[in-house]
Amino acid sequence: MISKSGQSARLLRSCYDDVDLDQSDRPAFAVHLDFSDYEAEVPQHQHKEGQLILALHGAVTCRTENGIWIVPPDCGVWIPGGVPHSNQVTSNARLSYLFVQPGAATLPWECCTLAVSPMLREMILRLADVPLNYAPDDHVGRMVRVLLDELAQMPIQGLDLPASSHPKIAAITAALMAEPGNRRTLVDWAAHVAMSERSLKRLMVQETGLTFGRWRRQLHLVIALRELASGATVQRVSSDLGYESPTAFIVMFKKALGTTPARYFAS
């Protein structure tokens, strides 16, 4: 059974009002959700099933104690069973949730963003349209076995932002998530959180595994993917992130993902 906490962001019902996780003992089942019908924010919760969140349109941002994950189209965020997490979606989001019973597949023990192949995507969509009372050896049961085998082969994508519960890092994270165009230097942030530059530099690597510069670029990438998936223009996103020009933003994006924003979303 799912447990929930926190306050809803909009006067709409929670998506979990229509998802009963006790309704199936099958290895996996899937549901479609159009978030024009639901709250845009799902407060922190957890469930015994592992969950793959697949974005069909728009984007969703998942948060756990250790990181922030973005789910742009054609990717999915894998959340192992028992991990507390919250989700926030863009207003145009259409999602599929794939729930996987513990031990049903060999999947990562930690949260991660996974590439989703066209075949896997179509199988998840198909599973969401069939009754839950399938038998292990009928057509759907065989498809589920292939689906879970395919899911276990999907490569991990670098679309997460390492987070930390350390008060100093958490304060910087909150400030930059609220104002991502803020261009304070490491020296400025050190003064802001009452630390020396050297101490903050060491703490950032210790807590996130990244230097401050790489961590901030990753934050920009996560926010850019979310905003572009919601329909924002490259010009607006580059301006909101504090880049001098759209060209400078595109260079950062291409260096991180190997292609331009236009080609990334077109593909």
Side-chain angles (χ1 to χ4, degrees):
M1 176 63 69
I2 192 166
S3 60
K4 305 178 187 179
S5 63
Q7 299 296 317
S8 61
R10 296 166 59 191
L11 298 178
L12 294 171
R13 67 188 189 278
S14 166
C15 68
Y16 281 107
D17 291 343
D18 297 332
V19 179
D20 183 0
L21 296 183
D22 292 332
Q23 64 185 326
S24 177
D25 59 356
R26 299 301 188 264
F29 72 95
V31 295
H32 295 316
L33 296 171
D34 185 333
F35 271 79
S36 62
D37 299 328
Y38 301 105
E39 297 168 350
E41 185 170 352
V42 180
Q44 187 175 86
H45 62 282
Q46 64 188 65
H47 32 76
K48 67 181 179 64
E49 297 84 358
Q51 180 183 15
L52 182 75
I53 302 175
L54 178 66
L56 308 177
H57 192 267
V60 55
T61 304
C62 303
R63 294 171 181 258
T64 71
E65 181 181 4
N66 297 319
I68 300 170
W69 284 263
I70 184 70
V71 192
D74 297 324
C75 286
V77 163
W78 169 248
I79 303 170
V83 174
H85 60 284
S86 63
N87 305 326
Q88 186 168 15
V89 303
T90 56
S91 59
N92 64 340
R94 294 198 308 274
L95 309 179
S96 281
Y97 286 176
L98 174 70
F99 294 98
V100 180
Q101 295 292 345
T106 304
L107 294 165
W109 289 97
E110 297 182 344
C111 296
C112 58
T113 305
L114 297 174
V116 175
S117 68
M119 183 178 78
L120 177 59
R121 181 180 185 273
E122 292 305 316
M123 285 193 290
I124 293 172
L125 298 184
R126 172 63 176 155
L127 184 60
D129 290 334
V130 301
L132 293 175
N133 60 344
Y134 62 86
D137 293 323
D138 67 13
H139 170 70
V140 176
R142 293 191 298 271
M143 182 188 73
V144 168
R145 290 202 300 272
V146 175
L147 185 160
L148 294 177
D149 284 346
E150 182 74 3
L151 178 58
Q153 301 302 312
M154 291 297 99
I156 295 174
Q157 306 293 295
L159 300 179
D160 67 294
L161 178 71
S164 169
S165 59
H166 190 286
K168 305 286 189 180
I169 304 300
I172 295 172
T173 301
L176 282 173
M177 289 295 290
E179 188 186 355
N182 187 317
R183 287 294 178 169
R184 282 176 173 165
T185 65
L186 182 64
V187 174
D188 297 330
W189 282 114
H192 181 75
V193 297
M195 295 181 72
S196 70
E197 178 186 4
R198 177 177 295 181
S199 295
L200 179 57
K201 182 177 181 179
R202 183 169 56 248
L203 180 65
M204 179 64 74
V205 173
Q206 176 183 311
E207 291 291 316
T208 71
L210 300 174
T211 64
F212 175 73
R214 288 185 60 197
W215 180 87
R216 179 157 62 181
R217 282 194 298 273
Q218 191 69 6
L219 178 142
H220 285 170
L221 180 64
V222 166
I223 291 175
L225 286 168
R226 182 190 68 195
E227 296 304 308
L228 291 168
S230 71
T233 64
V234 168
Q235 288 78 8
R236 177 184 146 191
V237 172
S238 64
S239 176
D240 289 348
L241 295 180
Y243 285 85
E244 295 181 355
S245 68
T247 300
F249 165 73
I250 291 170
V251 168
M252 180 280 293
F253 191 99
K254 188 173 182 179
K255 185 176 295 185
L257 295 180
T259 189
T260 65
R263 290 178 178 172
Y264 181 87
F265 284 95
S267 65

